Amino acid sequence: MEELDKLQQFQQKIDAEKKIEPKDWMPEDYRKHLIRQISQHAHSEVIGMQPEGNWITRAPSLRSKIILLAKIQDEAGHGLYLYSAAETLGISREEMINQLHTGKAKYSSIFNYPSLTWADIGAIGWLVDGAAIVNQVSLQRTSYGPYSRAMIKICMEESFHQRQGYEIMAKMAQGTPEQKEMAQDALNRWWWPSLMMFGPHDNESAHTGNAMKWKIKRETNDELRQKFIDKTVQQAEVIGLTIPDPDLKWNEERGHYDFGEIDWEEFWRVVNGNGPCNKKRLNHHKKVHEEGRWVREAAAAYAKKQKNKQIAA
Amino acid sequence: MTTQEALFKYTLRIGDNDLILGHRLAEWCSYGPTLEEDLALTNIALDLTGEAQALLQYAAEVEGKGRSADDLAYKRPERQFYNSIITELPKGDFGYSIVRQFLFDAYELPFFQMLTKSKDETLSAIAHKAVKEVKYHLRHSANWVIRLGDGTEESHNRVQKSLNDLWEYTGELFEMDEVDETVLKEGIGVDLTLVKAEWDETVNKVLAEATLTRPEDGWMQTGAKREGIHSEYLGYILTDMQYLPRAYPDAQW
Ligand SMILES: [Fe+2]
Ligand SMILES: [Fe+2]
């Protein structure tokens, strides 16, 4: 009975648009859902550093190198905020990393695609950060306080990233024929995976029901995807690039773009581990984590010595 | 050697150090032992690359041949780079990169502090800005040298070995030649013997706290800063760094 009362109060709070804070009572499933979602989000920020980091040493100008370095640094910062937000729910970062390594926790499948040319750095900023923003703007209103606040902080930076990525694409699209070809090719390769970032159709998404009721998610996968497409199509037109979808067409009646069917077979294949880079990304993370062990141990040993000295003094 | 020629090469040396070390640090992206360190190292890489940009831009102006900072970074061949060899050595493990960074930061902080007094207004302004950044770099690297030196037996042994391996590359930082003498006489450049005295003090203090042994001075590697005779590593750095501008010379990025 008491449990039921609590649940009712919890739902009332959510319905009244009040934030849930770490010390508040929450249903176990709400906690679990958030841990899964926030840790997945944190891991995505971190794994995403790999395809972008791949081009730092080959960035073609000092300015572009500086912008890329700053961007990846932002993403690492996002990872840190999000790990902290998840920690308020009673899981440690080490546990989350462990779950990533065992495959229990996932990260965004988009980062299982390779960054092959410099234009990919433009495409990632423009499309991947662009898609992330649509999702994250929506999550600013999520019901869990620490997650919501992390999103507000992160969104400002993401919009910079999106603009900077678009700028790279614009420059290349208006550059030499080779540059234009690279830009179009990058768009061709990143477009569909970007649409997949929003997840399966609403009727096939396992987690949508409760997440909407608890206002963890505020808009459905399909709504968010449509928003992203609507805002991106014109941006492509402006710089003279073609979205690789022959079915893409403005629908006057709906006030939205219609678009072709996503290759869901590819989506599930990559989610389930068989994208071009799944193994590379995860192995890299594991290897680096292992290589850093002696450093973390040394820092812990040093901190302990200092503490003992303080106690002795 | 005219003052202008000396100033050009002098500025290139400072800028190349920052450019090449920034490049090596940037290689740590997604390779850090913790996410915090990943962030810290790329942040320092960012500072150094920013400093390099300002310095190379000024070098290009001094040269007066219509080249840009990017031309100097992306179109110069190996033999026209004048960074010291220590900045181009491969990143090694975290301890190696940290020790290298510490040895360099302990040089660069007093160097830029003294350069703030330069009669050359541009160099002085660049130095002012850099001092704030390099203070943080030195605090970061010194703290890690201490933590690793006085951490576990493994970490102690690793960083002691890194220190021993890197020592022969420290002498070049303090070499003075005609370039230095010329700009020093004009009140533009810095007396590196004074920088060396401060460096010794910092290094001795931090190594003692880190329970590390300062290696004996022996043969010191040389040649890169003076005349662009580098280690074999620089060529590979430039291969990566200059790939796009060289492959597509007409392109703007
Ligand atoms: Fe991010
Ligand atoms: Fe981003």
Side-chain angles (χ1 to χ4, degrees), chain A residues 46 49-50 55-63 65-66 69-70 72-73 76-77 80 83 93 118 171-172 176 178-179 182 284 288 292 294-299 301-302 305, chain B residues 19 23 26 29-36 38-39 43 46 49-50 53 70 74 93-95 144 146-148 150-152 154-155 158 240-241 244-245 248 251-253:
Chain A
V46 172
M49 294 165 70
Q50 291 181 40
W55 278 92
I56 289 182
T57 59
R58 292 174 294 168
S61 68
L62 291 167
R63 181 171 174 271
K65 191 176 187 174
I66 286 169
L69 270 167
I72 300 175
Q73 209 190 307
L80 284 177
Y83 281 129
R93 201 201 299 183
W118 175 250
K171 260 193 189 160
M172 292 185 74
T176 66
E178 287 148 318
Q179 282 178 300
M182 269 188 244
H284 177 92
V288 166
W294 70 273
V295 177
R296 296 191 299 275
E297 283 171 359
Y302 178 78
K305 281 187 209 174
Chain B
L19 179 68
H23 190 91
C29 179
S30 90
Y31 284 81
T34 62
L35 192 49
E36 284 82 354
D38 218 298
L39 221 151
N43 188 27
L46 186 59
T49 311
Q53 189 181 32
D70 276 349
Y74 295 93
D93 70 4
F94 180 75
W144 268 110
I146 292 165
R147 248 177 252 152
L148 296 176
D150 193 19
T152 61
E154 182 185 6
S155 70
R158 279 188 190 235
D240 273 354
M241 193 166 86
L244 282 171
Y248 305 98
Q252 300 271 323
W253 307 91

Coordinates of all heavy atoms in Angstrom, one line a residue, chain A residues 46 49-50 55-63 65-66 69-70 72-73 76-77 80 83 93 118 171-172 176 178-179 182 284 288 292 294-299 301-302 305, chain B residues 19 23 26 29-36 38-39 43 46 49-50 53 70 74 93-95 144 146-148 150-152 154-155 158 240-241 244-245 248 251-253:
Chain A
V46 N 32.0 9.4 -25.3 CA 33.4 9.0 -25.2 C 33.8 8.2 -26.4 O 34.9 8.4 -26.9 CB 33.6 8.2 -23.9 CG1 34.9 7.5 -23.8 CG2 33.3 9.0 -22.6
M49 N 34.7 10.1 -29.5 CA 36.0 10.7 -29.6 C 36.9 10.0 -30.6 O 37.9 10.5 -31.1 CB 36.7 10.8 -28.2 CG 35.9 11.7 -27.3 SD 36.4 11.5 -25.6 CE 38.1 12.2 -25.6
Q50 N 36.7 8.7 -30.8 CA 37.6 7.9 -31.7 C 37.5 8.3 -33.1 O 38.5 8.6 -33.7 CB 37.3 6.4 -31.5 CG 37.8 5.9 -30.1 CD 37.5 4.4 -30.0 OE1 37.7 3.6 -30.9 NE2 37.0 4.0 -28.8
W55 N 41.1 12.2 -37.0 CA 41.6 13.2 -38.0 C 42.3 14.4 -37.3 O 42.7 15.3 -38.1 CB 40.4 13.7 -38.8 CG 40.1 12.8 -39.9 CD1 39.3 11.7 -39.9 CD2 40.7 12.8 -41.2 NE1 39.3 11.0 -41.1 CE2 40.2 11.7 -41.9 CE3 41.7 13.6 -41.8 CZ2 40.7 11.4 -43.2 CZ3 42.1 13.3 -43.1 CH2 41.6 12.2 -43.8
I56 N 42.5 14.3 -36.0 CA 43.2 15.5 -35.4 C 44.6 15.7 -36.0 O 44.9 16.9 -36.4 CB 43.4 15.3 -33.9 CG1 42.0 15.4 -33.2 CG2 44.3 16.4 -33.3 CD1 42.1 15.3 -31.7
T57 N 45.3 14.7 -36.2 CA 46.7 14.9 -36.6 C 46.8 15.2 -38.1 O 47.8 15.5 -38.6 CB 47.6 13.6 -36.3 OG1 47.0 12.5 -37.0 CG2 47.7 13.4 -34.9
R58 N 45.6 15.1 -38.8 CA 45.6 15.4 -40.2 C 44.7 16.5 -40.6 O 44.4 16.8 -41.7 CB 45.2 14.1 -41.0 CG 46.2 13.0 -41.0 CD 45.7 11.7 -41.6 NE 44.6 11.2 -40.9 CZ 43.8 10.2 -41.3 NH1 44.0 9.7 -42.5 NH2 42.8 9.7 -40.6
A59 N 44.3 17.3 -39.5 CA 43.4 18.5 -39.8 C 44.2 19.4 -40.7 O 45.4 19.6 -40.5 CB 43.1 19.1 -38.5
P60 N 43.6 19.9 -41.8 CA 44.3 20.6 -42.8 C 44.7 22.1 -42.6 O 45.3 22.7 -43.5 CB 43.3 20.5 -44.0 CG 42.0 20.5 -43.4 CD 42.1 19.8 -42.1
S61 N 44.4 22.6 -41.5 CA 44.8 24.0 -41.2 C 44.9 24.1 -39.7 O 44.3 23.3 -38.9 CB 43.8 25.0 -41.7 OG 42.6 24.9 -41.0
L62 N 45.6 25.2 -39.2 CA 45.7 25.4 -37.8 C 44.4 25.6 -37.2 O 44.0 25.1 -36.1 CB 46.7 26.5 -37.5 CG 48.2 26.2 -37.9 CD1 49.0 27.4 -37.9 CD2 48.7 25.2 -36.9
R63 N 43.6 26.5 -37.9 CA 42.3 26.8 -37.3 C 41.4 25.5 -37.2 O 40.8 25.3 -36.2 CB 41.6 27.8 -38.3 CG 40.3 28.3 -37.8 CD 39.7 29.4 -38.6 NE 38.4 29.7 -38.2 CZ 37.3 29.1 -38.8 NH1 37.4 28.3 -39.8 NH2 36.1 29.4 -38.4
K65 N 42.3 22.5 -36.9 CA 42.9 21.6 -35.9 C 42.4 22.1 -34.5 O 42.0 21.3 -33.7 CB 44.4 21.6 -36.0 CG 45.1 20.6 -35.2 CD 46.6 20.7 -35.5 CE 47.4 19.5 -34.9 NZ 48.8 19.6 -35.3
I66 N 42.5 23.4 -34.3 CA 42.1 24.0 -33.0 C 40.6 23.7 -32.8 O 40.2 23.3 -31.7 CB 42.5 25.5 -33.0 CG1 44.0 25.6 -32.8 CG2 41.7 26.2 -31.9 CD1 44.5 27.0 -33.1
L69 N 40.1 20.0 -32.0 CA 40.6 19.7 -30.6 C 39.6 20.2 -29.6 O 39.3 19.4 -28.6 CB 41.9 20.3 -30.4 CG 43.2 19.6 -30.8 CD1 44.4 20.5 -30.7 CD2 43.4 18.4 -29.8
A70 N 39.1 21.4 -29.8 CA 38.2 22.0 -28.8 C 36.9 21.2 -28.8 O 36.3 20.9 -27.7 CB 37.9 23.4 -29.1
I72 N 36.4 18.0 -29.6 CA 36.5 16.6 -28.9 C 36.7 16.8 -27.4 O 36.2 16.0 -26.6 CB 37.7 15.9 -29.6 CG1 37.5 15.7 -31.1 CG2 37.9 14.5 -28.9 CD1 38.6 15.0 -31.8
Q73 N 37.3 17.9 -27.0 CA 37.5 18.1 -25.6 C 36.1 18.4 -25.0 O 35.8 17.9 -23.9 CB 38.3 19.4 -25.5 CG 39.1 19.5 -24.3 CD 39.7 20.9 -24.2 OE1 40.3 21.3 -25.1 NE2 39.5 21.5 -23.1
A76 N 34.5 15.0 -24.5 CA 35.0 14.4 -23.2 C 34.3 15.0 -22.0 O 33.9 14.3 -21.1 CB 36.5 14.5 -23.2
G77 N 34.1 16.3 -22.0 CA 33.5 17.0 -20.9 C 32.0 16.5 -20.8 O 31.5 16.3 -19.7
L80 N 32.0 13.4 -19.0 CA 32.1 13.5 -17.6 C 30.9 14.0 -16.9 O 30.5 13.4 -15.9 CB 33.2 14.6 -17.3 CG 34.7 14.1 -17.5 CD1 35.7 15.2 -17.3 CD2 35.0 12.9 -16.6
Y83 N 28.5 10.9 -16.9 CA 28.8 9.9 -15.9 C 28.5 10.4 -14.5 O 27.9 9.6 -13.7 CB 30.3 9.6 -15.9 CG 30.8 8.7 -17.1 CD1 31.8 9.0 -17.9 CD2 30.1 7.5 -17.3 CE1 32.2 8.2 -19.0 CE2 30.5 6.6 -18.4 CZ 31.5 7.0 -19.2 OH 31.9 6.2 -20.2
R93 N 31.4 5.0 -11.9 CA 31.9 5.1 -13.3 C 32.6 3.8 -13.7 O 32.4 3.3 -14.8 CB 32.8 6.3 -13.4 CG 32.9 6.7 -14.9 CD 34.2 7.5 -15.2 NE 34.3 8.7 -14.5 CZ 35.3 9.5 -14.7 NH1 36.2 9.3 -15.6 NH2 35.4 10.7 -14.0
W118 N 38.4 13.9 -44.6 CA 38.2 15.1 -43.8 C 36.8 15.6 -43.9 O 36.3 16.1 -42.9 CB 39.2 16.2 -44.3 CG 39.0 17.5 -43.6 CD1 38.4 18.7 -44.1 CD2 39.2 17.8 -42.2 NE1 38.3 19.6 -43.1 CE2 38.8 19.1 -41.9 CE3 39.7 17.0 -41.1 CZ2 38.9 19.7 -40.6 CZ3 39.9 17.6 -39.9 CH2 39.5 18.9 -39.6
K171 N 32.3 24.8 -46.9 CA 33.6 25.2 -47.5 C 34.0 24.2 -48.6 O 34.4 24.5 -49.7 CB 34.7 25.2 -46.5 CG 35.0 26.6 -46.0 CD 36.3 26.6 -45.3 CE 36.5 28.0 -44.6 NZ 37.5 28.0 -43.5
M172 N 33.8 22.9 -48.3 CA 34.2 21.8 -49.2 C 33.3 21.8 -50.4 O 33.7 21.6 -51.5 CB 34.3 20.5 -48.5 CG 35.5 20.5 -47.5 SD 35.8 18.9 -46.7 CE 36.5 18.0 -48.0
T176 N 37.1 23.0 -54.4 CA 37.5 22.4 -55.7 C 36.6 21.2 -56.0 O 35.9 20.7 -55.1 CB 39.0 21.8 -55.6 OG1 39.0 20.8 -54.6 CG2 39.9 22.9 -55.1
E178 N 37.3 18.2 -56.3 CA 37.6 17.0 -55.4 C 37.0 17.2 -54.0 O 36.5 16.3 -53.4 CB 39.2 16.9 -55.3 CG 39.8 16.3 -56.5 CD 41.2 16.9 -56.7 OE1 41.4 18.1 -56.4 OE2 42.2 16.1 -57.0
Q179 N 37.1 18.4 -53.5 CA 36.5 18.7 -52.2 C 35.0 18.5 -52.2 O 34.4 17.9 -51.3 CB 36.8 20.1 -51.8 CG 38.2 20.3 -51.3 CD 38.4 21.8 -50.9 OE1 38.3 22.7 -51.7 NE2 38.8 22.0 -49.6
M182 N 34.2 14.9 -52.1 CA 34.4 14.3 -50.8 C 33.2 14.7 -49.9 O 32.8 13.9 -49.1 CB 35.7 15.0 -50.1 CG 36.9 14.2 -50.3 SD 38.2 14.9 -49.3 CE 39.4 15.5 -50.5
H284 N 39.5 -0.8 -28.7 CA 40.3 0.4 -28.4 C 40.1 0.9 -27.0 O 41.0 1.1 -26.2 CB 40.0 1.5 -29.4 CG 40.7 2.8 -29.2 ND1 41.9 3.1 -29.8 CD2 40.4 3.9 -28.3 CE1 42.3 4.3 -29.3 NE2 41.5 4.8 -28.5
V288 N 42.9 0.8 -24.1 CA 43.4 2.0 -23.4 C 43.1 1.9 -21.9 O 44.0 2.4 -21.1 CB 42.7 3.2 -24.1 CG1 42.9 4.5 -23.3 CG2 43.2 3.4 -25.5
G292 N 46.0 2.1 -19.1 CA 46.0 3.2 -18.1 C 46.0 2.8 -16.7 O 46.0 3.6 -15.7
W294 N 48.0 1.2 -14.7 CA 49.2 1.5 -13.8 C 49.2 3.0 -13.4 O 49.6 3.3 -12.2 CB 50.5 1.1 -14.4 CG 50.9 2.0 -15.6 CD1 50.6 1.9 -16.9 CD2 51.8 3.2 -15.5 NE1 51.2 2.9 -17.7 CE2 51.9 3.7 -16.9 CE3 52.4 3.8 -14.5 CZ2 52.6 4.8 -17.2 CZ3 53.2 5.0 -14.8 CH2 53.3 5.5 -16.1
V295 N 48.6 3.8 -14.2 CA 48.6 5.3 -13.9 C 47.5 5.5 -12.8 O 47.7 6.2 -11.8 CB 48.2 6.1 -15.2 CG1 48.1 7.6 -14.8 CG2 49.3 5.9 -16.2
R296 N 46.4 4.9 -13.0 CA 45.3 5.0 -12.0 C 45.7 4.4 -10.7 O 45.4 5.0 -9.6 CB 44.0 4.4 -12.5 CG 43.4 5.0 -13.8 CD 42.0 4.6 -14.1 NE 41.9 3.1 -14.4 CZ 42.2 2.6 -15.6 NH1 42.5 3.3 -16.6 NH2 42.1 1.3 -15.7
E297 N 46.4 3.3 -10.7 CA 46.9 2.7 -9.5 C 47.9 3.6 -8.8 O 47.9 3.7 -7.6 CB 47.5 1.3 -9.8 CG 46.5 0.2 -10.0 CD 47.1 -1.1 -10.5 OE1 48.3 -1.1 -10.7 OE2 46.3 -2.0 -10.8
A298 N 48.8 4.2 -9.6 CA 49.8 5.1 -9.0 C 49.1 6.3 -8.3 O 49.5 6.7 -7.2 CB 50.8 5.5 -10.1
A299 N 48.1 6.9 -9.0 CA 47.4 8.0 -8.5 C 46.8 7.6 -7.2 O 46.8 8.4 -6.2 CB 46.4 8.6 -9.5
A301 N 47.6 5.2 -5.1 CA 48.6 4.9 -4.1 C 49.2 6.2 -3.6 O 49.4 6.4 -2.4 CB 49.7 4.0 -4.7
Y302 N 49.4 7.1 -4.4 CA 49.9 8.4 -4.0 C 48.9 9.2 -3.1 O 49.3 9.7 -2.0 CB 50.3 9.3 -5.2 CG 50.8 10.7 -4.8 CD1 52.1 10.8 -4.4 CD2 50.0 11.8 -4.8 CE1 52.6 12.1 -4.0 CE2 50.4 13.0 -4.4 CZ 51.7 13.2 -4.0 OH 52.2 14.4 -3.6
K305 N 49.0 7.6 0.3 CA 50.2 8.0 1.1 C 50.0 9.4 1.6 O 50.3 9.7 2.8 CB 51.4 8.1 0.2 CG 52.0 6.7 -0.1 CD 53.4 6.8 -0.8 CE 53.6 5.6 -1.7 NZ 54.8 5.8 -2.5
Chain B
L19 N 54.0 23.9 -31.9 CA 53.2 23.2 -32.9 C 53.5 21.7 -32.8 O 52.5 20.9 -32.9 CB 53.7 23.7 -34.3 CG 53.0 23.0 -35.5 CD1 51.5 23.4 -35.5 CD2 53.6 23.3 -36.8
H23 N 51.1 18.7 -31.4 CA 50.7 17.6 -32.3 C 50.9 16.3 -31.5 O 50.0 15.4 -31.5 CB 51.6 17.6 -33.5 CG 51.2 16.7 -34.6 ND1 50.3 17.1 -35.6 CD2 51.4 15.4 -34.8 CE1 50.1 16.0 -36.4 NE2 50.7 15.0 -35.9
A26 N 48.2 15.9 -28.9 CA 46.9 15.7 -29.5 C 46.7 14.2 -29.8 O 45.6 13.7 -29.9 CB 46.7 16.5 -30.8
C29 N 44.4 11.9 -27.7 CA 42.9 12.0 -27.8 C 42.4 10.5 -27.9 O 42.7 9.8 -28.8 CB 42.5 12.8 -29.0 SG 40.7 12.8 -29.1
S30 N 41.6 10.2 -26.9 CA 40.9 8.9 -26.7 C 41.9 7.8 -26.2 O 41.6 6.6 -26.1 CB 40.2 8.4 -28.0 OG 41.1 7.6 -28.8
Y31 N 43.1 8.2 -25.9 CA 44.1 7.3 -25.4 C 44.5 7.5 -23.9 O 45.4 6.9 -23.3 CB 45.4 7.4 -26.2 CG 45.4 6.7 -27.5 CD1 44.8 7.3 -28.6 CD2 45.9 5.4 -27.7 CE1 44.7 6.7 -29.9 CE2 45.8 4.8 -28.9 CZ 45.2 5.4 -30.0 OH 45.1 4.8 -31.2
G32 N 43.8 8.5 -23.2 CA 44.2 8.8 -21.9 C 43.9 7.8 -20.9 O 42.9 7.0 -21.1
P33 N 44.6 7.7 -19.8 CA 44.4 6.7 -18.7 C 43.0 6.9 -18.0 O 42.5 6.0 -17.4 CB 45.5 6.8 -17.8 CG 46.0 8.2 -18.0 CD 45.7 8.6 -19.4
T34 N 42.6 8.2 -18.0 CA 41.2 8.4 -17.5 C 40.6 9.5 -18.4 O 41.4 10.1 -19.2 CB 41.3 9.1 -16.1 OG1 41.9 10.3 -16.1 CG2 41.9 8.2 -15.0
L35 N 39.3 9.6 -18.3 CA 38.7 10.6 -19.2 C 39.2 12.0 -18.8 O 39.4 12.9 -19.7 CB 37.2 10.5 -19.0 CG 36.3 11.2 -20.0 CD1 36.6 11.0 -21.4 CD2 34.8 10.8 -19.7
E36 N 39.4 12.3 -17.5 CA 39.9 13.6 -17.1 C 41.2 13.9 -17.7 O 41.5 15.0 -18.1 CB 40.1 13.6 -15.5 CG 38.8 13.7 -14.8 CD 38.0 12.4 -14.6 OE1 38.5 11.4 -15.2 OE2 37.0 12.4 -13.9
D38 N 42.4 12.5 -20.5 CA 42.2 12.7 -21.9 C 41.9 14.2 -22.2 O 42.5 14.8 -23.1 CB 41.0 11.8 -22.3 CG 41.2 11.2 -23.7 OD1 41.4 11.9 -24.6 OD2 41.3 10.0 -23.7
L39 N 41.1 14.7 -21.4 CA 40.6 16.1 -21.5 C 41.8 17.0 -21.3 O 42.0 18.0 -22.0 CB 39.5 16.3 -20.5 CG 38.3 17.1 -20.9 CD1 37.1 16.7 -20.2 CD2 38.6 18.6 -20.7
N43 N 43.5 19.5 -23.9 CA 43.4 20.9 -23.6 C 44.8 21.6 -23.7 O 44.9 22.7 -24.3 CB 42.9 21.0 -22.2 CG 42.6 22.5 -21.8 OD1 42.3 23.3 -22.7 ND2 42.7 22.8 -20.5
L46 N 45.7 21.9 -27.2 CA 44.9 23.1 -27.8 C 45.6 24.4 -27.5 O 45.8 25.2 -28.4 CB 43.5 23.1 -27.2 CG 42.5 24.0 -27.6 CD1 42.2 23.9 -29.1 CD2 41.2 23.8 -26.9
T49 N 48.8 24.6 -29.7 CA 48.5 24.8 -31.1 C 48.1 26.3 -31.3 O 48.5 26.9 -32.3 CB 47.5 23.8 -31.6 OG1 47.8 22.5 -31.2 CG2 47.3 23.9 -33.1
G50 N 47.4 26.8 -30.3 CA 47.0 28.2 -30.4 C 48.2 29.1 -30.3 O 48.3 30.1 -31.1
Q53 N 50.0 29.0 -33.6 CA 49.4 29.8 -34.6 C 49.8 31.2 -34.5 O 50.1 31.8 -35.5 CB 47.8 29.6 -34.5 CG 47.1 30.2 -35.6 CD 45.6 30.1 -35.5 OE1 45.1 30.1 -34.3 NE2 44.9 29.9 -36.5
D70 N 49.6 29.1 -41.8 CA 49.3 27.8 -42.4 C 50.4 27.4 -43.4 O 50.7 26.2 -43.5 CB 47.9 27.8 -43.0 CG 46.8 27.5 -42.0 OD1 47.2 27.1 -40.8 OD2 45.6 27.6 -42.3
Y74 N 52.2 24.0 -42.9 CA 51.8 22.9 -43.8 C 52.5 22.8 -45.1 O 52.4 21.8 -45.8 CB 50.3 23.0 -44.1 CG 49.4 22.8 -42.8 CD1 49.0 23.9 -42.1 CD2 49.1 21.5 -42.4 CE1 48.3 23.7 -40.9 CE2 48.4 21.3 -41.3 CZ 48.0 22.4 -40.5 OH 47.3 22.2 -39.4
D93 N 54.5 5.9 -23.4 CA 53.3 5.7 -22.4 C 53.0 7.0 -21.7 O 53.7 8.0 -22.0 CB 53.6 4.5 -21.5 CG 54.7 4.9 -20.4 OD1 55.2 6.0 -20.4 OD2 55.1 4.0 -19.7
F94 N 52.0 7.0 -20.9 CA 51.5 8.2 -20.3 C 52.7 8.9 -19.5 O 52.9 10.1 -19.5 CB 50.3 7.9 -19.4 CG 49.8 9.1 -18.6 CD1 49.0 10.1 -19.3 CD2 50.0 9.3 -17.3 CE1 48.5 11.2 -18.6 CE2 49.5 10.4 -16.6 CZ 48.8 11.3 -17.3
G95 N 53.4 8.0 -18.8 CA 54.5 8.6 -17.9 C 55.6 9.3 -18.8 O 56.1 10.3 -18.4
W144 N 51.7 15.4 -11.9 CA 51.7 14.0 -12.3 C 53.1 13.3 -12.1 O 53.2 12.2 -11.8 CB 51.3 13.9 -13.8 CG 49.8 13.7 -13.8 CD1 48.9 14.5 -14.3 CD2 49.1 12.5 -13.4 NE1 47.6 14.0 -14.2 CE2 47.7 12.7 -13.7 CE3 49.4 11.2 -12.9 CZ2 46.7 11.8 -13.4 CZ3 48.5 10.3 -12.6 CH2 47.1 10.6 -12.9
I146 N 55.1 13.9 -9.8 CA 55.2 13.6 -8.4 C 54.4 12.4 -8.0 O 54.8 11.4 -7.4 CB 54.8 14.8 -7.5 CG1 55.8 15.9 -7.7 CG2 54.6 14.4 -6.1 CD1 55.3 17.3 -7.2
R147 N 53.1 12.4 -8.6 CA 52.2 11.2 -8.3 C 52.8 9.9 -8.8 O 52.7 8.9 -8.2 CB 50.9 11.5 -9.0 CG 49.8 11.8 -8.1 CD 48.5 12.1 -8.8 NE 48.2 13.5 -8.7 CZ 47.6 14.2 -9.6 NH1 47.1 13.7 -10.7 NH2 47.3 15.5 -9.3
L148 N 53.3 10.0 -10.0 CA 53.9 8.7 -10.6 C 55.2 8.3 -10.0 O 55.4 7.2 -9.8 CB 54.0 8.9 -12.1 CG 52.7 9.2 -12.9 CD1 53.0 9.4 -14.4 CD2 51.7 8.0 -12.8
D150 N 56.2 9.0 -7.0 CA 56.0 8.6 -5.6 C 54.7 7.8 -5.5 O 54.0 7.7 -4.4 CB 55.9 9.8 -4.7 CG 56.0 9.5 -3.2 OD1 56.4 8.3 -2.9 OD2 55.5 10.3 -2.4
G151 N 54.3 7.1 -6.5 CA 53.1 6.3 -6.5 C 53.3 4.8 -6.2 O 53.6 4.5 -5.0
T152 N 53.3 4.0 -7.2 CA 53.7 2.6 -7.0 C 55.1 2.3 -7.4 O 55.7 3.1 -8.1 CB 52.7 1.7 -7.8 OG1 52.9 1.9 -9.2 CG2 51.3 1.9 -7.4
E154 N 55.9 0.2 -9.7 CA 55.9 0.2 -11.2 C 55.9 1.6 -11.8 O 56.7 1.9 -12.7 CB 54.6 -0.5 -11.7 CG 54.6 -0.6 -13.2 CD 53.3 -1.2 -13.8 OE1 52.3 -1.5 -13.1 OE2 53.3 -1.4 -15.0
S155 N 55.1 2.5 -11.2 CA 55.0 3.8 -11.8 C 56.4 4.5 -11.6 O 56.8 5.2 -12.5 CB 53.9 4.6 -11.2 OG 54.1 5.0 -9.9
R158 N 58.8 3.2 -14.1 CA 58.5 3.6 -15.5 C 59.0 5.1 -15.7 O 59.6 5.4 -16.7 CB 57.0 3.5 -15.7 CG 56.5 2.1 -16.1 CD 55.1 2.3 -16.5 NE 54.4 1.0 -16.7 CZ 53.8 0.7 -17.8 NH1 53.8 1.5 -18.8 NH2 53.1 -0.5 -17.9
D240 N 51.7 13.1 -41.8 CA 50.3 13.2 -41.3 C 49.7 14.6 -41.4 O 48.7 14.9 -42.0 CB 50.1 12.8 -39.8 CG 50.0 11.3 -39.7 OD1 49.8 10.6 -40.7 OD2 50.0 10.8 -38.5
M241 N 50.5 15.5 -40.8 CA 50.0 16.9 -40.7 C 49.8 17.6 -42.0 O 48.9 18.3 -42.2 CB 51.1 17.7 -39.8 CG 50.6 19.0 -39.3 SD 51.7 19.6 -38.0 CE 52.9 20.4 -39.0
L244 N 46.9 16.7 -46.3 CA 45.8 17.3 -47.1 C 46.2 18.6 -47.9 O 46.0 18.7 -49.1 CB 44.6 17.6 -46.2 CG 43.7 16.4 -45.9 CD1 42.6 16.8 -44.9 CD2 43.0 15.9 -47.2
P245 N 46.9 19.5 -47.2 CA 47.3 20.7 -48.0 C 48.3 20.4 -49.1 O 48.3 21.0 -50.1 CB 48.0 21.6 -46.9 CG 47.4 21.2 -45.6 CD 47.1 19.7 -45.8
Y248 N 46.1 18.4 -52.0 CA 45.2 19.3 -52.7 C 45.7 20.7 -52.6 O 45.1 21.5 -51.8 CB 43.8 19.1 -52.1 CG 43.3 17.7 -52.1 CD1 43.4 16.9 -50.9 CD2 42.8 17.1 -53.2 CE1 43.0 15.6 -50.9 CE2 42.4 15.8 -53.2 CZ 42.5 15.1 -52.1 OH 42.1 13.7 -52.1
A251 N 43.2 23.7 -52.7 CA 42.0 23.7 -51.9 C 42.2 24.6 -50.7 O 43.3 24.8 -50.2 CB 41.8 22.3 -51.4
Q252 N 41.0 25.2 -50.3 CA 40.9 26.0 -49.1 C 40.1 25.1 -48.1 O 39.2 24.5 -48.5 CB 40.2 27.3 -49.3 CG 40.8 28.2 -50.3 CD 41.8 29.1 -49.7 OE1 41.6 29.6 -48.6 NE2 42.9 29.4 -50.4
W253 N 40.5 25.2 -46.8 CA 39.8 24.3 -45.9 C 39.1 25.2 -44.9 O 38.9 25.1 -43.8 CB 40.7 23.3 -45.2 CG 41.5 22.5 -46.2 CD1 42.7 22.9 -46.8 CD2 41.1 21.3 -46.9 NE1 43.1 21.9 -47.7 CE2 42.1 21.0 -47.8 CE3 39.9 20.5 -46.8 CZ2 42.0 19.8 -48.6 CZ3 39.9 19.4 -47.6 CH2 40.9 19.1 -48.5

